[in-house]
Amino acid sequence: MEEGAGMKKTFYFYILEALITLSILIILLTNVGFHIFSKKQIDEKISKDYQTYINLFSFYLERAISERYRDLEAIANIVSKDNYNREKVELLLSQRPSIKHLLIVDKEGIIKDAFPKKQEISGLDLSYSPIFKNANKSNFFGPQVLLIDKESYYVMSKVTTDKVVLAFLNIPGINSVLEILKKQGFYAFVVNKKGAVLFHTDERIVKEGSNWSDLDFVKKGMSGAKELIEGEINGERYIFKSEDIQTLDSVIFVGIPYHKAFYVISGLREKMLLILFFSLILSIAISLILSKGLLTPIKNILKMIEKIKIGQFNVSPYKSGLEELDTVSYNLSQMAKSIHDREIKLQKIFDASIDAIVLSTSEGDIIDINEAGVKMFGYENKEEALKIKTWQIYQDISERVKILKELELKGYVKDFEVVFKRKNGEIFYALLSSTIVRDEKGDILFIVSSIKDITEKRKLQEQLFQAQKMESIGRLTGSIAHDFNNILSVISGSNQLIQMITKDNPQIQRHTENISRGVDRAKDFIKKLLVFTKSQPIEFKVYDINELIKEEIKILK
Protein backbone atom coordinates (compact mmCIF):
# COMPACT_ATOMS: atom_id res chain seq x y z
CA MET A 1 0.00 0.00 0.00
CA GLU A 2 2.84 2.39 0.80
CA GLU A 3 4.45 1.83 -2.58
CA GLY A 4 1.11 2.43 -4.34
CA ALA A 5 0.57 5.63 -2.32
CA GLY A 6 4.04 6.92 -3.21
CA MET A 7 3.47 6.16 -6.90
CA LYS A 8 0.04 7.81 -6.81
CA LYS A 9 1.46 10.95 -5.27
CA THR A 10 4.16 11.16 -7.93
CA PHE A 11 1.66 10.72 -10.77
CA TYR A 12 -0.72 13.32 -9.35
CA PHE A 13 2.06 15.80 -9.00
CA TYR A 14 3.30 15.13 -12.52
CA ILE A 15 -0.05 16.11 -14.05
CA LEU A 16 -0.49 18.93 -11.55
CA GLU A 17 2.92 20.35 -12.36
CA ALA A 18 2.14 20.37 -16.09
CA LEU A 19 -1.17 22.17 -15.59
CA ILE A 20 0.24 24.67 -13.09
CA THR A 21 3.21 25.42 -15.35
CA LEU A 22 0.88 26.09 -18.27
CA SER A 23 -1.29 28.40 -16.14
CA ILE A 24 1.71 30.30 -14.81
CA LEU A 25 3.16 30.73 -18.29
CA ILE A 26 -0.11 32.21 -19.60
CA ILE A 27 -0.38 34.55 -16.61
CA LEU A 28 3.27 35.60 -16.82
CA LEU A 29 3.11 36.31 -20.54
CA THR A 30 -0.02 38.42 -20.01
CA ASN A 31 1.59 40.18 -17.06
CA VAL A 32 4.83 40.88 -18.93
CA GLY A 33 2.99 42.31 -21.94
CA PHE A 34 0.84 44.54 -19.79
CA HIS A 35 3.86 45.50 -17.65
CA ILE A 36 5.89 46.61 -20.66
CA PHE A 37 3.06 48.65 -22.09
CA SER A 38 2.06 50.21 -18.72
CA LYS A 39 5.64 50.94 -17.68
CA LYS A 40 6.30 52.82 -20.89
CA GLN A 41 3.20 54.99 -20.34
CA ILE A 42 4.03 55.54 -16.69
CA ASP A 43 7.69 56.37 -17.49
CA GLU A 44 6.56 59.14 -19.82
CA LYS A 45 4.14 60.60 -17.24
CA ILE A 46 6.67 60.43 -14.39
CA SER A 47 9.36 62.02 -16.55
CA LYS A 48 7.06 64.97 -17.31
CA ASP A 49 6.14 65.43 -13.62
CA TYR A 50 9.78 65.17 -12.54
CA GLN A 51 10.92 67.62 -15.18
CA THR A 52 8.48 70.28 -13.90
CA TYR A 53 9.88 70.12 -10.37
CA ILE A 54 13.47 69.88 -11.58
CA ASN A 55 13.03 72.99 -13.72
CA LEU A 56 11.44 74.86 -10.79
CA PHE A 57 14.16 73.89 -8.34
CA SER A 58 16.99 74.50 -10.83
CA PHE A 59 15.58 77.90 -11.80
CA TYR A 60 15.28 79.09 -8.22
CA LEU A 61 18.68 77.72 -7.20
CA GLU A 62 20.51 79.06 -10.25
CA ARG A 63 18.93 82.51 -9.80
CA ALA A 64 19.88 82.63 -6.11
CA ILE A 65 23.45 81.51 -6.82
CA SER A 66 23.81 83.91 -9.75
CA GLU A 67 22.67 86.88 -7.60
CA ARG A 68 25.11 86.01 -4.82
CA TYR A 69 27.90 85.50 -7.31
CA ARG A 70 27.34 88.99 -8.76
CA ASP A 71 27.50 90.36 -5.22
CA LEU A 72 30.76 88.45 -4.69
CA GLU A 73 32.27 89.90 -7.87
CA ALA A 74 31.32 93.41 -6.71
CA ILE A 75 32.97 92.75 -3.34
CA ALA A 76 36.07 91.40 -5.08
CA ASN A 77 36.40 94.69 -7.00
CA ILE A 78 35.96 96.74 -3.81
CA VAL A 79 38.70 94.83 -1.93
CA SER A 80 41.17 94.85 -4.81
CA LYS A 81 44.66 96.23 -4.20
CA ASP A 82 43.87 99.63 -5.66
CA ASN A 83 40.25 100.07 -4.46
CA TYR A 84 40.15 98.47 -0.99
CA ASN A 85 37.23 100.08 0.83
CA ARG A 86 35.99 98.29 3.96
CA GLU A 87 33.02 100.63 4.49
CA LYS A 88 31.59 99.84 1.06
CA VAL A 89 31.87 96.10 1.76
CA GLU A 90 30.06 96.46 5.08
CA LEU A 91 27.33 98.51 3.42
CA LEU A 92 26.84 95.89 0.70
CA LEU A 93 26.78 93.02 3.24
CA SER A 94 24.17 94.85 5.29
CA GLN A 95 21.92 94.69 2.23
CA ARG A 96 22.64 90.99 1.69
CA PRO A 97 21.59 89.12 4.85
CA SER A 98 22.12 85.77 3.17
CA ILE A 99 25.91 86.35 3.27
CA LYS A 100 26.70 85.62 6.93
CA HIS A 101 30.51 85.87 6.86
CA LEU A 102 33.15 87.11 4.42
CA LEU A 103 36.87 86.31 4.51
CA ILE A 104 39.59 88.05 2.50
CA VAL A 105 42.51 85.59 2.06
CA ASP A 106 45.78 86.09 0.19
CA LYS A 107 47.23 83.58 -2.29
CA GLU A 108 49.14 81.78 0.49
CA GLY A 109 45.94 81.21 2.51
CA ILE A 110 46.52 83.84 5.20
CA ILE A 111 43.36 85.64 6.40
CA LYS A 112 43.81 89.41 5.76
CA ASP A 113 40.37 90.65 6.77
CA ALA A 114 36.98 89.34 7.96
CA PHE A 115 33.42 90.61 7.88
CA PRO A 116 32.04 91.07 10.49
CA LYS A 117 35.38 92.13 12.01
CA LYS A 118 37.06 89.31 13.94
CA GLN A 119 40.47 90.44 15.16
CA GLU A 120 41.28 87.04 16.64
CA ILE A 121 41.18 85.25 13.25
CA SER A 122 43.21 87.83 11.35
CA GLY A 123 46.48 86.27 10.21
CA LEU A 124 45.25 82.67 10.53
CA ASP A 125 46.65 80.24 7.96
CA LEU A 126 43.94 78.47 5.90
CA SER A 127 46.31 76.91 3.37
CA TYR A 128 45.66 73.44 4.79
CA SER A 129 41.92 73.98 5.18
CA PRO A 130 39.53 72.17 2.81
CA ILE A 131 37.75 75.50 2.37
CA PHE A 132 40.83 77.16 0.88
CA LYS A 133 41.71 74.09 -1.24
CA ASN A 134 38.19 73.84 -2.67
CA ALA A 135 38.12 77.61 -3.39
CA ASN A 136 40.81 77.15 -6.02
CA LYS A 137 38.87 74.30 -7.67
CA SER A 138 35.20 75.39 -7.54
CA ASN A 139 33.35 78.68 -7.08
CA PHE A 140 30.55 77.02 -5.05
CA PHE A 141 30.79 74.16 -2.59
CA GLY A 142 29.71 73.09 0.84
CA PRO A 143 28.23 72.93 3.23
CA GLN A 144 31.29 73.62 5.43
CA VAL A 145 31.41 74.26 9.17
CA LEU A 146 32.90 77.68 9.98
CA LEU A 147 34.94 77.70 13.18
CA ILE A 148 33.86 81.27 14.01
CA ASP A 149 30.33 80.30 15.04
CA LYS A 150 30.38 76.48 14.52
CA GLU A 151 27.57 76.78 11.96
CA SER A 152 27.30 75.06 8.56
CA TYR A 153 27.34 77.30 5.47
CA TYR A 154 27.59 77.04 1.72
CA VAL A 155 30.80 78.58 0.45
CA MET A 156 31.16 80.76 -2.63
CA SER A 157 34.60 81.86 -3.78
CA LYS A 158 36.04 84.48 -6.11
CA VAL A 159 39.72 84.24 -7.02
CA THR A 160 41.47 87.48 -8.09
CA THR A 161 45.06 88.13 -9.04
CA ASP A 162 46.21 88.59 -5.46
CA LYS A 163 43.31 87.49 -3.26
CA VAL A 164 40.66 84.86 -2.66
CA VAL A 165 37.28 86.14 -1.46
CA LEU A 166 35.26 83.57 0.51
CA ALA A 167 31.56 84.17 1.19
CA PHE A 168 29.76 81.95 3.74
CA LEU A 169 26.06 82.09 3.04
CA ASN A 170 22.63 80.64 3.46
CA ILE A 171 20.47 80.29 0.36
CA PRO A 172 17.00 81.43 1.43
CA GLY A 173 14.05 79.61 0.01
CA ILE A 174 15.89 76.48 -1.07
CA ASN A 175 14.83 74.49 1.98
CA SER A 176 11.27 75.74 1.42
CA VAL A 177 11.28 74.37 -2.12
CA LEU A 178 12.67 71.06 -0.85
CA GLU A 179 10.03 70.98 1.89
CA ILE A 180 7.29 71.44 -0.72
CA LEU A 181 8.72 68.50 -2.71
CA LYS A 182 8.90 66.41 0.44
CA LYS A 183 5.24 67.08 1.35
CA GLN A 184 4.18 66.00 -2.13
CA GLY A 185 5.95 62.68 -1.62
CA PHE A 186 9.12 63.49 -3.58
CA TYR A 187 12.64 62.64 -2.54
CA ALA A 188 15.07 65.31 -3.83
CA PHE A 189 18.75 66.10 -3.39
CA VAL A 190 21.67 67.74 -5.19
CA VAL A 191 25.23 66.37 -5.39
CA ASN A 192 28.36 67.89 -6.87
CA LYS A 193 30.49 66.04 -9.44
CA LYS A 194 32.36 64.29 -6.61
CA GLY A 195 29.16 62.91 -5.09
CA ALA A 196 29.04 65.20 -2.04
CA VAL A 197 25.44 66.06 -1.04
CA LEU A 198 24.87 69.84 -1.36
CA PHE A 199 21.09 70.00 -0.81
CA HIS A 200 18.65 67.42 0.50
CA THR A 201 15.04 67.21 1.69
CA ASP A 202 16.59 65.94 4.95
CA GLU A 203 18.94 68.75 6.08
CA ARG A 204 20.62 66.38 8.54
CA ILE A 205 22.19 64.45 5.65
CA VAL A 206 23.73 67.69 4.32
CA LYS A 207 25.14 68.67 7.72
CA GLU A 208 26.73 65.23 8.15
CA GLY A 209 28.77 65.84 4.96
CA SER A 210 27.41 62.71 3.24
CA ASN A 211 28.99 61.53 0.01
CA TRP A 212 26.91 59.23 -2.23
CA SER A 213 29.39 58.70 -5.05
CA ASP A 214 29.42 54.96 -4.27
CA LEU A 215 25.67 54.53 -5.00
CA ASP A 216 25.07 53.02 -8.44
CA PHE A 217 22.08 55.20 -9.33
CA VAL A 218 24.04 58.34 -8.32
CA LYS A 219 26.89 57.25 -10.58
CA LYS A 220 24.44 56.88 -13.48
CA GLY A 221 22.97 60.35 -12.86
CA MET A 222 26.44 61.93 -12.60
CA SER A 223 27.40 60.28 -15.90
CA GLY A 224 24.49 62.05 -17.66
CA ALA A 225 21.77 59.35 -17.80
CA LYS A 226 18.56 60.76 -19.36
CA GLU A 227 16.23 57.83 -18.61
CA LEU A 228 14.58 57.08 -15.27
CA ILE A 229 16.92 55.50 -12.74
CA GLU A 230 16.04 52.93 -10.06
CA GLY A 231 17.81 53.41 -6.74
CA GLU A 232 17.63 52.19 -3.15
CA ILE A 233 18.04 54.43 -0.09
CA ASN A 234 17.70 53.12 3.48
CA GLY A 235 16.12 49.90 2.20
CA GLU A 236 13.40 51.57 0.10
CA ARG A 237 13.34 51.59 -3.71
CA TYR A 238 12.84 54.86 -5.61
CA ILE A 239 12.47 55.99 -9.22
CA PHE A 240 14.70 59.02 -9.89
CA LYS A 241 15.10 61.55 -12.67
CA SER A 242 18.45 63.40 -12.80
CA GLU A 243 19.63 66.54 -14.57
CA ASP A 244 22.79 68.66 -14.59
CA ILE A 245 22.81 72.14 -13.00
CA GLN A 246 25.45 73.88 -15.09
CA THR A 247 25.80 76.94 -12.80
CA LEU A 248 26.78 74.81 -9.80
CA ASP A 249 28.53 72.05 -11.77
CA SER A 250 26.26 69.62 -9.94
CA VAL A 251 23.39 67.15 -10.51
CA ILE A 252 19.85 67.27 -9.10
CA PHE A 253 17.89 64.08 -8.37
CA VAL A 254 14.10 64.02 -7.89
CA GLY A 255 12.28 60.76 -7.18
CA ILE A 256 9.30 59.02 -5.58
CA PRO A 257 8.94 55.56 -4.00
CA TYR A 258 8.74 52.72 -6.50
CA HIS A 259 5.37 51.43 -5.28
CA LYS A 260 3.80 54.88 -5.77
CA ALA A 261 5.30 55.31 -9.24
CA PHE A 262 3.97 51.96 -10.46
CA TYR A 263 0.87 51.52 -8.34
CA VAL A 264 -1.08 50.41 -11.47
CA ILE A 265 1.33 47.58 -12.10
CA SER A 266 1.35 46.67 -8.40
CA GLY A 267 -2.44 46.41 -8.51
CA LEU A 268 -2.20 44.20 -11.56
CA ARG A 269 0.23 41.91 -9.75
CA GLU A 270 -2.23 41.52 -6.87
CA LYS A 271 -4.93 40.52 -9.34
CA MET A 272 -2.53 38.12 -11.04
CA LEU A 273 -1.83 36.44 -7.70
CA LEU A 274 -5.57 35.98 -7.19
CA ILE A 275 -5.89 34.51 -10.69
CA LEU A 276 -2.92 32.26 -10.00
CA PHE A 277 -4.56 30.99 -6.80
CA PHE A 278 -7.76 30.00 -8.64
CA SER A 279 -5.65 28.47 -11.44
CA LEU A 280 -3.91 26.26 -8.88
CA ILE A 281 -7.23 25.03 -7.50
CA LEU A 282 -8.50 24.32 -11.03
CA SER A 283 -5.24 22.51 -11.91
CA ILE A 284 -5.52 20.29 -8.82
CA ALA A 285 -9.10 19.35 -9.70
CA ILE A 286 -8.20 18.51 -13.31
CA SER A 287 -5.16 16.50 -12.22
CA LEU A 288 -7.28 14.41 -9.85
CA ILE A 289 -9.76 13.62 -12.64
CA LEU A 290 -7.06 12.70 -15.16
CA SER A 291 -4.94 10.69 -12.75
CA LYS A 292 -7.89 8.62 -11.57
CA GLY A 293 -8.39 7.18 -15.07
CA LEU A 294 -4.67 6.58 -15.64
CA LEU A 295 -3.71 5.37 -12.17
CA THR A 296 -4.36 1.61 -12.64
CA PRO A 297 -2.25 1.09 -15.81
CA ILE A 298 0.56 3.21 -14.42
CA LYS A 299 0.48 1.24 -11.19
CA ASN A 300 0.80 -2.08 -13.07
CA ILE A 301 3.66 -0.77 -15.18
CA LEU A 302 5.46 0.28 -11.98
CA LYS A 303 4.97 -3.24 -10.61
CA MET A 304 6.65 -4.60 -13.74
CA ILE A 305 9.58 -2.27 -13.16
CA GLU A 306 9.89 -3.37 -9.51
CA LYS A 307 10.02 -7.04 -10.58
CA ILE A 308 12.77 -6.27 -13.12
CA LYS A 309 14.72 -4.38 -10.45
CA ILE A 310 14.80 -7.45 -8.15
CA GLY A 311 15.76 -9.81 -11.00
CA GLN A 312 12.37 -11.25 -11.95
CA PHE A 313 12.70 -10.95 -15.72
CA ASN A 314 9.80 -13.19 -16.69
CA VAL A 315 7.17 -10.42 -16.83
CA SER A 316 4.17 -10.27 -19.15
CA PRO A 317 3.04 -7.01 -20.78
CA TYR A 318 -0.01 -5.36 -19.21
CA LYS A 319 -2.89 -4.43 -21.52
CA SER A 320 -4.76 -1.31 -20.49
CA GLY A 321 -6.50 -0.37 -23.73
CA LEU A 322 -4.42 2.83 -24.01
CA GLU A 323 -2.05 2.50 -26.96
CA GLU A 324 0.80 4.54 -25.49
CA LEU A 325 0.79 2.75 -22.12
CA ASP A 326 0.45 -0.67 -23.79
CA THR A 327 3.51 0.16 -25.93
CA VAL A 328 5.48 1.07 -22.80
CA SER A 329 4.38 -2.16 -21.10
CA TYR A 330 5.35 -4.30 -24.11
CA ASN A 331 8.76 -2.60 -24.44
CA LEU A 332 9.40 -3.20 -20.73
CA SER A 333 8.73 -6.93 -21.12
CA GLN A 334 11.05 -7.10 -24.15
CA MET A 335 13.73 -5.19 -22.28
CA ALA A 336 13.43 -7.62 -19.34
CA LYS A 337 13.85 -10.58 -21.73
CA SER A 338 16.94 -8.98 -23.33
CA ILE A 339 18.49 -8.32 -19.92
CA HIS A 340 17.80 -11.90 -18.86
CA ASP A 341 19.38 -13.34 -22.03
CA ARG A 342 22.42 -11.13 -21.66
CA GLU A 343 22.87 -12.10 -18.00
CA ILE A 344 22.73 -15.79 -18.92
CA LYS A 345 25.42 -15.31 -21.58
CA LEU A 346 27.65 -13.37 -19.21
CA GLN A 347 27.19 -16.00 -16.48
CA LYS A 348 28.11 -18.80 -18.91
CA ILE A 349 31.26 -16.97 -19.97
CA PHE A 350 32.07 -16.31 -16.32
CA ASP A 351 31.61 -19.97 -15.31
CA ALA A 352 33.26 -21.47 -18.44
CA SER A 353 36.58 -19.66 -18.00
CA ILE A 354 39.47 -22.00 -17.10
CA ASP A 355 41.19 -19.08 -15.38
CA ALA A 356 39.99 -17.70 -12.07
CA ILE A 357 37.79 -14.57 -12.35
CA VAL A 358 37.31 -12.60 -9.14
CA LEU A 359 35.13 -9.52 -8.51
CA SER A 360 36.25 -7.68 -5.40
CA THR A 361 36.15 -4.28 -3.69
CA SER A 362 39.18 -2.09 -3.04
CA GLU A 363 38.73 -2.91 0.68
CA GLY A 364 39.29 -6.62 -0.05
CA ASP A 365 35.76 -8.04 0.03
CA ILE A 366 35.08 -10.70 -2.63
CA ILE A 367 31.81 -9.98 -4.44
CA ASP A 368 31.86 -13.00 -6.79
CA ILE A 369 34.23 -15.73 -7.96
CA ASN A 370 33.84 -18.39 -10.68
CA GLU A 371 34.19 -22.15 -10.23
CA ALA A 372 37.75 -22.16 -11.62
CA GLY A 373 38.73 -19.65 -8.93
CA VAL A 374 37.17 -21.75 -6.16
CA LYS A 375 39.19 -24.81 -7.28
CA MET A 376 42.39 -22.83 -7.86
CA PHE A 377 42.45 -21.58 -4.26
CA GLY A 378 41.38 -24.93 -2.82
CA TYR A 379 37.99 -24.06 -1.34
CA GLU A 380 35.09 -26.49 -1.24
CA ASN A 381 32.44 -24.14 -2.67
CA LYS A 382 31.77 -20.53 -3.69
CA GLU A 383 30.07 -19.65 -0.39
CA GLU A 384 33.24 -20.49 1.53
CA ALA A 385 35.41 -18.51 -0.90
CA LEU A 386 33.18 -15.42 -0.60
CA LYS A 387 33.80 -15.25 3.15
CA ILE A 388 37.55 -14.56 2.86
CA LYS A 389 39.38 -11.29 2.14
CA THR A 390 41.56 -10.90 -0.94
CA TRP A 391 44.66 -10.12 1.12
CA GLN A 392 44.41 -13.62 2.66
CA ILE A 393 45.27 -15.32 -0.67
CA TYR A 394 48.60 -13.45 -1.12
CA GLN A 395 51.82 -15.07 0.05
CA ASP A 396 53.33 -11.59 0.41
CA ILE A 397 50.83 -8.84 1.30
CA SER A 398 53.18 -6.18 -0.13
CA GLU A 399 52.41 -7.50 -3.63
CA ARG A 400 48.74 -6.56 -3.14
CA VAL A 401 49.78 -3.05 -2.06
CA LYS A 402 51.85 -2.68 -5.26
CA ILE A 403 48.92 -3.86 -7.39
CA LEU A 404 46.47 -1.43 -5.73
CA LYS A 405 48.89 1.47 -6.31
CA GLU A 406 49.26 0.50 -9.98
CA LEU A 407 45.47 0.23 -10.33
CA GLU A 408 45.00 3.66 -8.75
CA LEU A 409 47.60 5.16 -11.09
CA LYS A 410 46.67 3.50 -14.42
CA GLY A 411 43.27 1.92 -13.83
CA TYR A 412 44.53 -1.57 -14.73
CA VAL A 413 47.42 -4.06 -14.34
CA LYS A 414 48.35 -6.72 -16.91
CA ASP A 415 50.22 -10.04 -16.45
CA PHE A 416 51.50 -9.15 -12.97
CA GLU A 417 53.30 -12.24 -11.62
CA VAL A 418 52.12 -12.98 -8.08
CA VAL A 419 52.73 -15.75 -5.54
CA PHE A 420 49.37 -16.88 -4.12
CA LYS A 421 48.56 -19.48 -1.49
CA ARG A 422 45.77 -22.01 -1.40
CA LYS A 423 43.49 -22.75 1.54
CA ASN A 424 45.91 -25.48 2.77
CA GLY A 425 48.87 -23.07 2.65
CA GLU A 426 50.37 -24.44 -0.58
CA ILE A 427 51.86 -21.67 -2.69
CA PHE A 428 51.52 -21.36 -6.45
CA TYR A 429 52.54 -18.88 -9.11
CA ALA A 430 50.03 -16.97 -11.22
CA LEU A 431 49.66 -14.10 -13.69
CA LEU A 432 47.19 -11.45 -12.48
CA SER A 433 45.37 -8.97 -14.73
CA SER A 434 42.97 -6.50 -13.05
CA THR A 435 40.76 -3.59 -14.14
CA ILE A 436 38.87 -1.01 -12.07
CA VAL A 437 35.16 -0.56 -12.91
CA ARG A 438 33.83 2.91 -12.01
CA ASP A 439 30.38 4.50 -11.95
CA GLU A 440 29.36 7.68 -13.80
CA LYS A 441 30.72 9.82 -10.93
CA GLY A 442 34.15 8.18 -11.15
CA ASP A 443 33.81 6.25 -7.87
CA ILE A 444 35.08 2.63 -7.77
CA LEU A 445 32.31 0.03 -8.06
CA PHE A 446 34.51 -3.08 -8.02
CA ILE A 447 37.74 -4.61 -9.37
CA VAL A 448 37.66 -7.38 -12.00
CA SER A 449 40.66 -9.73 -11.78
CA SER A 450 41.69 -12.63 -14.03
CA ILE A 451 44.18 -15.12 -12.46
CA LYS A 452 46.08 -17.72 -14.53
CA ASP A 453 47.98 -20.51 -12.72
CA ILE A 454 51.52 -20.74 -14.19
CA THR A 455 53.06 -23.07 -11.59
CA GLU A 456 53.61 -26.01 -14.04
CA LYS A 457 54.79 -23.66 -16.75
CA ARG A 458 57.26 -22.14 -14.29
CA LYS A 459 58.63 -25.64 -13.42
CA LEU A 460 59.10 -26.47 -17.11
CA GLN A 461 60.88 -23.14 -17.60
CA GLU A 462 63.23 -23.98 -14.69
CA GLN A 463 63.98 -27.43 -16.17
CA LEU A 464 64.65 -25.91 -19.56
CA PHE A 465 66.94 -23.34 -17.98
CA GLN A 466 68.86 -26.13 -16.15
CA ALA A 467 69.25 -28.10 -19.39
CA GLN A 468 70.48 -25.02 -21.20
CA LYS A 469 72.95 -24.38 -18.38
CA MET A 470 74.30 -27.94 -18.55
CA GLU A 471 74.57 -27.67 -22.32
CA SER A 472 76.64 -24.49 -21.95
CA ILE A 473 78.90 -26.21 -19.41
CA GLY A 474 79.31 -29.18 -21.77
CA ARG A 475 80.30 -26.92 -24.64
CA LEU A 476 82.86 -25.17 -22.47
CA THR A 477 84.21 -28.54 -21.25
CA GLY A 478 84.51 -29.88 -24.81
CA SER A 479 86.44 -26.81 -25.87
CA ILE A 480 88.84 -27.19 -22.92
CA ALA A 481 89.27 -30.96 -23.63
CA HIS A 482 90.23 -30.33 -27.26
CA ASP A 483 92.74 -27.65 -26.28
CA PHE A 484 94.20 -29.89 -23.56
CA ASN A 485 94.43 -32.82 -26.01
CA ASN A 486 96.50 -30.67 -28.35
CA ILE A 487 98.89 -29.87 -25.48
CA LEU A 488 99.17 -33.61 -24.61
CA SER A 489 100.01 -34.38 -28.24
CA VAL A 490 102.98 -32.02 -28.03
CA ILE A 491 104.09 -33.56 -24.71
CA SER A 492 103.69 -37.12 -26.06
CA GLY A 493 105.64 -36.31 -29.24
CA SER A 494 108.45 -34.67 -27.32
CA ASN A 495 108.59 -37.63 -24.88
CA GLN A 496 108.89 -40.10 -27.75
CA LEU A 497 111.85 -38.15 -29.19
CA ILE A 498 113.56 -38.21 -25.78
CA GLN A 499 113.02 -42.01 -25.59
CA MET A 500 114.61 -42.47 -29.02
CA ILE A 501 117.63 -40.36 -28.12
CA THR A 502 118.17 -41.87 -24.63
CA LYS A 503 117.26 -45.48 -25.27
CA ASP A 504 120.65 -46.57 -23.84
CA ASN A 505 120.07 -44.69 -20.57
CA PRO A 506 117.86 -46.81 -18.29
CA GLN A 507 117.33 -44.08 -15.70
CA ILE A 508 115.97 -41.57 -18.26
CA GLN A 509 113.95 -44.32 -19.90
CA ARG A 510 112.21 -44.94 -16.57
CA HIS A 511 111.17 -41.31 -16.33
CA THR A 512 109.99 -41.13 -19.94
CA GLU A 513 107.85 -44.20 -19.39
CA ASN A 514 106.20 -42.43 -16.43
CA ILE A 515 105.56 -39.45 -18.71
CA SER A 516 103.98 -41.76 -21.31
CA ARG A 517 101.70 -43.34 -18.72
CA GLY A 518 100.70 -39.90 -17.42
CA VAL A 519 99.90 -38.71 -20.95
CA ASP A 520 97.84 -41.86 -21.56
CA ARG A 521 95.89 -41.28 -18.33
CA ALA A 522 95.31 -37.65 -19.28
CA LYS A 523 94.05 -38.75 -22.70
CA ASP A 524 91.76 -41.21 -20.99
CA PHE A 525 90.45 -38.37 -18.75
CA ILE A 526 89.85 -36.25 -21.86
CA LYS A 527 87.85 -39.06 -23.40
CA LYS A 528 85.68 -39.08 -20.25
CA LEU A 529 85.14 -35.32 -20.57
CA LEU A 530 84.16 -35.73 -24.21
CA VAL A 531 81.72 -38.44 -23.17
CA PHE A 532 80.23 -35.93 -20.66
CA THR A 533 79.78 -33.41 -23.44
CA LYS A 534 78.27 -36.16 -25.63
CA SER A 535 80.78 -35.39 -28.41
CA GLN A 536 82.23 -38.96 -28.23
CA PRO A 537 80.51 -42.34 -27.68
CA ILE A 538 80.99 -44.15 -24.35
CA GLU A 539 83.61 -46.94 -24.52
CA PHE A 540 83.56 -49.65 -21.85
CA LYS A 541 86.85 -51.41 -20.83
CA VAL A 542 87.95 -53.97 -18.19
CA TYR A 543 90.59 -52.66 -15.74
CA ASP A 544 92.68 -54.42 -13.09
CA ILE A 545 92.25 -52.25 -10.01
CA ASN A 546 95.57 -53.44 -8.54
CA GLU A 547 97.45 -52.41 -11.65
CA LEU A 548 95.80 -49.00 -11.59
CA ILE A 549 96.85 -48.45 -7.98
CA LYS A 550 100.43 -49.48 -8.74
CA GLU A 551 100.59 -47.07 -11.66
CA GLU A 552 99.25 -44.24 -9.52
CA ILE A 553 101.90 -44.94 -6.85
CA LYS A 554 104.66 -44.87 -9.48
CA ILE A 555 103.40 -41.56 -10.85
CA LEU A 556 103.22 -40.07 -7.38
CA LYS A 557 106.78 -41.19 -6.64
Side-chain angles (χ1 to χ4, degrees), residues 177-414:
V177 175
L178 293 174
E179 190 64 29
I180 293 171
L181 292 174
K182 185 176 181 180
K183 287 180 179 180
Q184 294 186 3
F186 287 96
Y187 192 102
F189 61 93
V190 179
V191 297
N192 62 19
K193 290 298 184 179
K194 293 184 179 179
V197 180
L198 301 179
F199 303 97
H200 198 283
T201 49
D202 186 352
E203 193 174 351
R204 177 180 52 84
I205 294 176
V206 179
K207 290 183 177 181
E208 290 175 352
S210 301
N211 188 301
W212 287 358
S213 59
D214 58 335
L215 299 178
D216 291 337
F217 76 93
V218 174
K219 291 178 183 177
K220 291 180 180 178
M222 292 167 60
S223 64
K226 298 300 181 184
E227 69 278 2
L228 294 179
I229 308 170
E230 287 190 29
E232 186 174 319
I233 299 175
N234 297 328
E236 185 170 1
R237 292 173 66 195
Y238 291 88
I239 299 295
F240 288 101
K241 171 75 174 175
S242 65
E243 189 166 307
D244 289 344
I245 302 176
Q246 300 297 332
T247 306
L248 298 180
D249 194 24
S250 58
V251 182
I252 181 173
F253 290 81
V254 176
I256 59 175
Y258 188 91
H259 66 277
K260 290 183 179 179
F262 298 104
Y263 66 92
V264 176
I265 295 178
S266 299
L268 176 64
R269 286 177 179 171
E270 292 177 1
K271 293 178 182 179
M272 288 298 178
L273 289 175
L274 187 60
I275 294 171
L276 179 61
F277 174 73
F278 285 110
S279 297
L280 289 176
I281 295 176
L282 182 60
S283 298
I284 292 172
I286 295 173
S287 65
L288 289 173
I289 295 171
L290 291 176
S291 60
K292 187 175 181 180
L294 298 174
L295 183 59
T296 302
I298 294 295
K299 188 187 241 183
N300 283 283
I301 289 174
L302 289 177
K303 286 182 179 179
M304 291 175 63
I305 294 173
E306 289 298 323
K307 287 182 179 180
I308 295 171
K309 284 171 63 178
I310 61 175
Q312 297 179 10
F313 300 108
N314 187 21
V315 291
S316 300
Y318 174 78
K319 294 182 179 180
S320 64
L322 297 174
E323 183 179 352
E324 292 79 4
L325 293 179
D326 289 349
T327 301
V328 172
S329 176
Y330 176 76
N331 289 336
L332 274 175
S333 66
Q334 292 301 308
M335 181 185 70
K337 185 176 182 301
S338 298
I339 294 173
H340 183 56
D341 293 343
R342 185 172 59 186
E343 283 200 353
I344 291 175
K345 289 178 183 178
L346 289 175
Q347 190 64 42
K348 286 181 178 180
I349 294 171
F350 185 74
D351 293 334
S353 175
I354 60 174
D355 295 330
I357 300 177
V358 181
L359 275 64
S360 62
T361 65
S362 55
E363 291 77 22
D365 296 319
I366 297 178
I367 301 172
D368 200 359
I369 184 171
N370 66 349
E371 191 62 31
V374 174
K375 292 179 180 178
M376 184 179 292
F377 289 100
Y379 290 95
E380 295 180 5
N381 51 56
K382 181 186 288 190
E383 288 71 22
E384 184 182 8
L386 293 178
K387 293 178 182 179
I388 66 169
K389 300 287 186 178
T390 52
W391 51 265
Q392 293 178 261
I393 61 176
Y394 284 85
Q395 175 68 15
D396 185 356
I397 192 65
S398 64
E399 290 186 336
R400 181 175 183 270
V401 176
K402 291 179 183 178
I403 292 168
L404 289 176
K405 287 182 178 179
E406 189 76 9
L407 283 170
E408 186 178 353
L409 182 64
K410 296 168 55 179
Y412 70 93
V413 293
K414 185 178 180 182

